[in-house]
Amino acid sequence: MTKSASATGAASLWATYELSLEGPSSGNPFQEVQLRAIFRHGEREVRVNGFYDGDGQYKFRLLPDAAGTWTYETLSNAPALDGASGSFEVGAAEPGHHGPVRVSNRHHFRHADGTRYINIGTTAYVWNLQGDAVEEQTLATLAEAPFTKIRMCVFPKHYRYNQNEPDRYPFPLIKKGTSTWDGSFNGGNGAWEFDFERFEPDYFRHLEKRINQLAEIGVEADLIIFHPYDRWGFSRMSPTQDDAYLRYLTARLAALPNVWWSMANEYDLMQSKKPADWDRFIHIVSDNDPFDHLLSVHNCFAFYDHNHPRITHSSIQRSAASNSSLWREKYGKPVSIDECCYEGDISELWGNITPQKMVRRFWDGTVNGGYVTHGETYYNESETLWWAKGGKLVGESVARIAFLRRILEEGPDEGLDPVKSTGAYRIAMAGGLDNVVLQQLFSPPPGEEGWSRVQAWWATAGQPHRYYLTYMGENQPHEMTVAVPPDEHYSATLIDTWNMTETRLSDSVKRGEVLYFEPKPYLAMLFRRIDG
Amino acid sequence: MTKSASATGAASLWATYELSLEGPSSGNPFQEVQLRAIFRHGEREVRVNGFYDGDGQYKFRLLPDAAGTWTYETLSNAPALDGASGSFEVGAAEPGHHGPVRVSNRHHFRHADGTRYINIGTTAYVWNLQGDAVEEQTLATLAEAPFTKIRMCVFPKHYRYNQNEPDRYPFPLIKKGTSTWDGSFNGGNGAWEFDFERFEPDYFRHLEKRINQLAEIGVEADLIIFHPYDRWGFSRMSPTQDDAYLRYLTARLAALPNVWWSMANEYDLMQSKKPADWDRFIHIVSDNDPFDHLLSVHNCFAFYDHNHPRITHSSIQRSAASNSSLWREKYGKPVSIDECCYEGDISELWGNITPQKMVRRFWDGTVNGGYVTHGETYYNESETLWWAKGGKLVGESVARIAFLRRILEEGPDEGLDPVKSTGAYRIAMAGGLDNVVLQQLFSPPPGEEGWSRVQAWWATAGQPHRYYLTYMGENQPHEMTVAVPPDEHYSATLIDTWNMTETRLSDSVKRGEVLYFEPKPYLAMLFRRIDG
């Protein structure tokens, strides 16, 4: 007689399905018990690692990618966990369940079921460690905000404005260290001690609960696995401890549909990790993720090599969002500028850009075929800065980012790709320079047909012959020469990206016509094909 | 019996002194007559070239650099012009006469008599070819404006918004060409023809008149000798014609106190000139200028090699004014950013930056030890754009530049030198990063004493232990940690560079104190020593 596991409710497509078994609770089950389940759907097999959840409970999690009958069997070195089997029916996806986000069309994203995903991130590194009141406020804020992704850490964070102690820790606490932020660092007197050979299941259950709540409001969790802002020692575990942590984390979280693996925030500031460590971490996470979640490594100074085959997209910290088109070419992957400074007023240079600048970086990224992540650091007395703790958003960029999101939603389903542009054909048209000189300086790139540099003087993205979105940044021209491909007709809409207005300038323009408008900064122009 | 020349009025220090002689008017005096004068003051000799001014009149010009008795004698291949001699008394300088501007303190400027000169330029390329009404309006505008320099061309200009024909030409006209701007270029049908073997003295007399009027209102003329915006052929003369032009120009203009030699605007767009041509031009001009005027070459794309020993300062076209500190180091000369785009609303990308951005570039240059030149391109129906034709200034940056000028005038007489800054000590203070990592990343440059990176997080310029001016750009912090040298006391004044306000935050601060203020963009902080 075979034994079977208990399941949590009915199974449905793209919803985490969990099996539980009772097993040994003596010794160190985290270290001593090995367990895996094989799930089968027709010919297909999905192998998942199980994990110890405390109190003698062991769990296996599947993220079903097909409806119909699935079977399972378990394998373990603990007899109580070995050889369990059974079957279950996976029903159709419930509303809003679209599966993990994956790369689509080389530089863009879609959910596994083909639903379009527009990557509009924000950042609240440890919002999930602020207690229920603030955490629920964060969820309420996010439910109203335009963001489809949040960058957040597994581990607690030690930094200026981050001096509060979390309610719980990922590892059993042996000795409390110095908890007040006083400029001292990890190590030496006042150091914390944890049992890195075990985990605190409750810590991870809380993390999962918050990630699941994000999924309910349509927000992906770009989960930061390591980071350097640390007073507890979590950034300085041994390689063996690091690897056990990665296996435990992936066993628990890989079946959550909205998880992305961000191997680090500012990997290059973690002096205890070497290049070979990062490569090993990437392999452990992707080898132990049967559900192919997105995976990236975020930098402070030098980029990680985003050409690494297991890295799915370029997660970049830089202000120059307009370089997105270059990074797309360099890595052949989607570009996500996951830190471009923060709208705020703290004294740290990265934490006090204006809302205008934040919005500009979103647009610069957009018209160069990339995606940009928001953050906010306005100081308040409680030191609940959105960037780290979540809470409320008070900045002025959020409404403009929502405005941009709506424009993108109304745009091509494939996303926006940059229209190649190197130059200054406008000078040749407008100025008196010798055209031979200009032809030498600004010769068109091979294969660029139709869309000339008259328009492309300004960064433009779109889909050829259908849709062109041009952004004029902080400049304030009073006219634009239309440079859509010959013999095509487009509507022309002036967009004030800051004041959030759209003004139809013409229902039908063609190449060579000149549009006039009130000069001011932060304008964009949208050309939509009307005869194609 | 020796003959003597007639002189124009009394001679005084730093005022152009002119001698005239009658000579041959037949043949081609411009080509055939060689003439030079030797002026002597005590042991010193100053050799100047004479020039033919038409109607049988020949002239020699001296810019006296010493009071007292001077003598002269002339040398010529024309007997009527050879061997004239005489003496004259040079009186004290008249008010406002300070002599040519020269390099001082390696990266700054002073007049020859030691008077401080603050380089605050503007640009109106052919203001002197717009007819008396507009030209006089330009002079009236400049008299009220903060500018101490104007960039202007010798030759007329052909470009968009520059389609009008000048009243006169530098060379005798043989055949009128196509004068309407229609997108056609020099050469081919409709080409103009001039007698490049002769000059039109009246053209140069008018130029000199306007330059002298600039001197009266304290404005230096940064005279552009060649430029590529040309429908007449002036940019494509033969090497022999170019060289004759340079000798004629220097013979006429070198004795004007407020002339600077800008060998070109955008030298790299002149395809008919080769690198060896520019080197030869530089040598001809400086060899034929006995009065050591400033000399530079302005670029479009690639910088000219400002290390050239005859080049006195780096004349740079770039937007990134904050790189001034790097260019100071690279060339060891003053940095003058003589084109950083134009405040305006025309469609050309360089011609529509906001007034905020123009002001920002002035401040970025200033706190990095450089100087910045203004320009304005707001469209109007008469196409009298300041950038090319002068007229009226309508932009919003001018008042802010005047505000900056006053601050500089109240600052150190030596000018402002950048306080070395590479980093982010503020992170180490404020954040929770491992301080060993930060020490590796941001180790202080050798020899940097006192002024730590706490302050230098923001670009800062000044004079050590006396005066520090810090600019926060478009960022909007609400606090600043004071990082003046230890054991020194300073007043602290918050400057709103856009709203032109100065707010004394403290009469006495010292290192480590924190200043709080309302967060907004375009703030600067001025620390003046009170106990030194």
Side-chain angles (χ1 to χ4, degrees), chain A residues 185 236 349 433-434 457 474, chain B residues 185 236 357 433-434 457:
Chain A
F185 295 88
R236 292 170 172 272
L349 185 59
L433 289 175
D434 187 300
W457 179 256
E474 291 175 41
Chain B
F185 295 88
R236 294 171 172 272
K357 194 67 89 181
L433 290 175
D434 185 301
W457 178 256

Side-chain angles (χ1 to χ4, degrees), chain A residues 366-389:
Chain A
T366 298
V367 295
N368 285 284
Y371 297 94
V372 181
T373 290
H374 160 272
E376 185 180 294
T377 49
Y378 284 105
Y379 183 77
N380 55 56
E381 288 293 326
S382 71
E383 298 202 341
T384 308
L385 280 62
W386 173 265
W387 135 85
K389 297 182 182 173

Side-chain angles (χ1 to χ4, degrees), chain A residues 321-391:
Chain A
S322 56
N323 284 346
S324 294
S325 52
L326 305 176
W327 297 324
R328 280 169 50 115
E329 294 299 315
K330 179 166 183 182
Y331 300 112
K333 296 177 182 180
V335 168
S336 187
I337 299 175
D338 284 327
E339 207 169 327
C340 70
C341 299
Y342 298 86
E343 178 190 346
D345 64 359
I346 60 174
S347 56
E348 287 75 6
L349 185 59
W350 46 263
N352 51 36
I353 67 168
T354 59
Q356 288 84 355
K357 193 66 89 182
M358 176 61 74
V359 175
R360 178 175 175 178
R361 290 179 187 175
F362 265 79
W363 277 86
D364 278 342
T366 298
V367 295
N368 285 284
Y371 297 94
V372 181
T373 290
H374 160 272
E376 185 180 294
T377 49
Y378 284 105
Y379 183 77
N380 55 56
E381 288 293 326
S382 71
E383 298 202 341
T384 308
L385 280 62
W386 173 265
W387 135 85
K389 297 182 182 173

Side-chain angles (χ1 to χ4, degrees), chain A residues 133-180:
Chain A
V134 174
E135 293 172 32
E136 281 156 24
Q137 187 181 49
T138 302
L139 287 165
T141 301
L142 285 171
E144 300 298 315
F147 305 114
T148 61
K149 180 182 82 178
I150 190 164
R151 286 181 56 77
M152 58 186 284
C153 300
V154 176
F155 290 141
K157 182 181 175 195
H158 165 80
Y159 209 83
R160 194 181 189 194
Y161 317 118
N162 287 262
Q163 306 170 30
N164 55 327
E165 208 55 41
D167 290 343
R168 47 182 85 76
Y169 300 97
F171 308 95
L173 177 62
I174 295 170
K175 174 175 165 273
K176 258 180 95 79
T178 305
S179 64
T180 311

